[in-house]
Structure formats: structure tokens, C-alpha cells
Amino acid sequence: MNKKEGNNSRGGSKPNSSRSNSNKPKPAMQKRAQGPKKVKPAVKAAEEEAAQKLKKQNQAPKRQKAADEIRLNKFISNSGACSRRDADIYIQSGNVKVNGVPVTEMGYLVKLTDVINFDGAILTPEKKEYILLNKPKNFTTALDEGQEFRNVLELVRGSTTAKIAPIGRMDKNTTGLLLFTNDTDMIRKFTLPSQKSSKIYQVSLDKNLKFEDLEKISKGLVLDGHRVFVEEVSYIDGEAKSEVGLKLRSSNVKVVRAIFENFDYDVLRIDRVSFAGLTKKNLPRGNWRMLTEQEIINLKNV
């Protein structure tokens, strides 16, 4: 009995102790949690201020807004380098310099006379324009043929205020696709002898092209000491054998004429039906249209 009582007393002491412990007041956790909340805004503000100071170290000094200033992202967009949204990404990443100073500030204002370096290239403020014309007869790209024949620029007048120029030359008898742009890099690209874009011409001759001459042309030939590579030459289905299709890389129409004159054929008409992947689809003779963004990308990737 004593043992049992002893056991009961020992067993009974534990619940009493646990109940007494449970009645103890809990620590004020809420007060301890409130401390950091009061500190966080101050810490965050200090961190933001430090980050802002570091950011301003790489920024060009601000100027008062003038009437001839525009936002930097708009300047980049107008130059044709990319969209305004993409320009903001380049600016934030530090890839844009104004007068040699990196600028990462959104909404930064620049003048048209400022030197803008975009990802390593100097930009011009004028927006790049690309206009495709289906040229008719009796218009020429030359400026020295007097008043008898009108200049092709008359056909695209009103399309843009930019100072555009045709890529390559066309005489009065040549018709078909002619590309205009103010992008000097693209003009240079498509007029170089080493350029790789293909053009397709439909050539009308004064007589049927002999099959042996067609084979000779297909192998290429030398004109004025320069090798001319012909990608493809063929008769046009459903037409007389005086109608010939010619595919080559040169944008100089004089080369097309010289190829057939080298074999004693007179060229009556030349019609460029394809230029670097662009076609005359839905573009009537004498009409023009702006290139799409995808077409511009394709031309730049040729």
C-alpha cells in the first residue's frame, strides 16, 4: 500500500506540475515581431539610396529639357535599330552611350546633334525607310538623261520625307522591282560585287535563244575581264524561246543586257520579277509599298 501510495503521489505530481507550467504567461512574441517591421523601411530606404548613388555614377548628367530634345529610346527607334521597348532594355543593360557616356536612365533626353552609340554602332536620328516599287517603262534612275525621261523618284514622291535613293540602276526600258531606302548600309550591301542575294529577270530578245547559247550562259562567262556567275537560265513555259528567265546575284541591269549581247542578241525588254526574295505579288506596275518588318529583317540577314 505504501508503495502504491508512493507511486500515486509521484504520478500525481507530474500533472500538477504540467498544469502549473501551462498557466504561466506566454512571452510577448508579438512585441518581438514588431521590432523588425519598424526597421525594415529604414533599411530598405538606405539600400535604395545606395543603389541609386551607384547607378548615377554611370549616368550622363541631366540637362534642362529643350525644344529640340527627344527621349533616348525614341531616338533609337527612329534610327531603325529596334523598337522603343527593346531600346529600353538596351539602355538599362548599359549598352547605350550618349556623347561617350553610358546612360541607363529611362526617359533620358537627347538632342539630334548628340552622338548616340548603340551596342557599338553610331546611330543617325532619321528613321530607316524601305519602299518597294514596281517600276514602269520610260522612268530612269539616272539624273543626267535630260528631260526626255522622268526620274523614278517621282513615282515614290509622298511616300516618305526621308532622303531615299534606289538600290542599283535601271534604264528607261527596264521594268520591275526597284527598292528605295535611306539605309546607306543596305544600299552598300546590295551593290557590292560580293553580295549574295539573288535577282530574277524576265528577258525579251529580238530572236529565239539557241539552246547551245543557253547552255553556255548557264556555265557563266567573262565580261570585261570579270567573271559572271549565272545561277539559272531557262526558257519561260508557254512563251516563245525569245522569252528567257535569268537568275543571278548582280543588281546591275547592265550585266543582264551584256550577257545576251555577248551572244549577238538584242535585248528588247528586261523585267525584274524578284529582288532578294521580294516579289511583285499584289504590286501593280507603277505602284509602291512599304516593306514589312519581317521583310526588312530578311534583307538584313541575306
Side-chain angles (χ1 to χ4, degrees):
M1 294 295 294
N2 291 336
K3 288 182 180 179
K4 289 180 181 179
E5 289 175 359
N7 290 336
N8 289 337
S9 63
R10 285 195 299 272
S13 64
K14 287 181 181 178
N16 292 334
S17 61
S18 62
R19 282 195 299 270
S20 62
N21 289 338
S22 63
N23 292 330
K24 290 182 180 180
K26 293 183 179 180
M29 295 299 292
Q30 189 175 1
K31 290 184 179 180
R32 287 201 300 270
Q34 288 175 351
K37 288 184 179 179
K38 294 181 180 179
V39 178
K40 277 184 180 179
V43 173
K44 186 176 181 181
E47 290 176 350
E48 288 179 353
E49 184 178 354
Q52 196 69 17
K53 287 181 179 179
L54 181 63
K55 183 179 178 181
K56 287 183 177 180
Q57 291 177 0
N58 294 326
Q59 289 183 0
K62 291 183 179 180
R63 303 184 302 273
Q64 273 192 335
K65 184 178 179 181
D68 60 343
E69 289 183 323
I70 62 172
R71 287 177 177 267
L72 178 57
N73 61 354
K74 184 177 180 182
F75 185 105
I76 295 171
S77 176
N78 287 350
S79 72
C82 64
S83 66
R84 286 197 196 186
R85 183 175 297 178
D86 289 340
D88 286 337
I89 297 173
Y90 278 94
I91 293 170
Q92 288 178 320
S93 61
N95 290 328
V96 179
K97 295 180 181 179
V98 179
N99 299 325
V101 181
V103 173
T104 57
E105 177 187 344
M106 294 296 96
Y108 191 84
L109 296 170
V110 296
K111 293 183 178 180
L112 298 180
T113 54
D114 287 336
V115 178
I116 311 300
N117 187 303
F118 176 81
D119 203 25
I122 302 298
L123 301 182
T124 56
E126 188 177 57
K127 184 179 180 181
K128 298 295 185 294
E129 302 282 7
Y130 306 87
I131 300 165
L132 186 65
L133 169 72
N134 188 351
K135 177 189 168 301
K137 287 182 63 175
N138 297 325
F139 285 84
T140 175
T141 56
L143 298 174
D144 56 355
E145 295 192 17
Q147 300 297 320
E148 183 180 359
F149 302 108
R150 297 156 68 183
N151 190 273
V152 290
L153 287 171
E154 295 181 32
L155 298 169
V156 293
R157 185 176 295 162
S159 61
T160 178
T161 57
K163 190 176 181 180
I164 57 175
I167 296 181
R169 296 182 177 181
M170 275 192 176
D171 57 35
K172 63 182 179 65
N173 290 322
T174 303
T175 59
L177 297 180
L178 183 61
L179 184 62
F180 295 80
T181 183
N182 59 340
D183 187 340
T184 55
D185 290 335
M186 184 169 290
I187 293 175
R188 191 181 304 111
K189 172 182 178 178
F190 283 106
T191 52
L192 286 174
S194 59
Q195 58 89 34
K196 300 178 180 179
S197 65
S198 298
K199 291 87 181 173
I200 301 176
Y201 301 89
Q202 180 173 341
V203 185
S204 300
L205 305 175
D206 64 328
K207 55 188 176 183
N208 291 345
L209 177 66
K210 296 178 182 177
F211 182 74
E212 54 265 33
D213 290 337
L214 185 145
E215 285 192 317
K216 291 176 183 178
I217 293 173
S218 66
K219 295 176 182 178
L221 62 159
V222 177
L223 297 173
D224 297 329
H226 298 283
R227 183 75 180 175
V228 177
F229 294 94
V230 176
E231 294 182 61
E232 188 178 345
V233 59
S234 64
Y235 299 116
I236 296 177
D237 292 340
E239 300 284 348
K241 294 192 183 310
S242 58
E243 297 294 321
V244 182
L246 181 69
K247 183 179 181 181
L248 70 167
R249 293 179 177 178
S250 177
S251 60
N252 189 347
V253 179
K254 288 184 177 180
V255 174
V256 178
R257 190 177 298 277
I259 288 174
F260 295 98
E261 289 178 348
N262 186 67
F263 293 92
D264 297 324
Y265 295 91
D266 288 333
V267 177
L268 304 179
R269 288 179 300 276
I270 300 175
D271 185 33
R272 184 189 282 160
V273 297
S274 176
F275 181 94
L278 301 171
T279 68
K280 298 192 296 181
K281 183 179 180 181
N282 299 326
L283 188 62
R285 188 82 75 200
N287 290 21
W288 59 267
R289 68 171 178 85
M290 295 288 188
L291 294 192
T292 65
E293 289 187 10
Q294 187 58 54
E295 288 172 331
I296 296 169
I297 292 172
N298 294 342
L299 288 178
K300 290 182 177 180
N301 290 335
V302 170

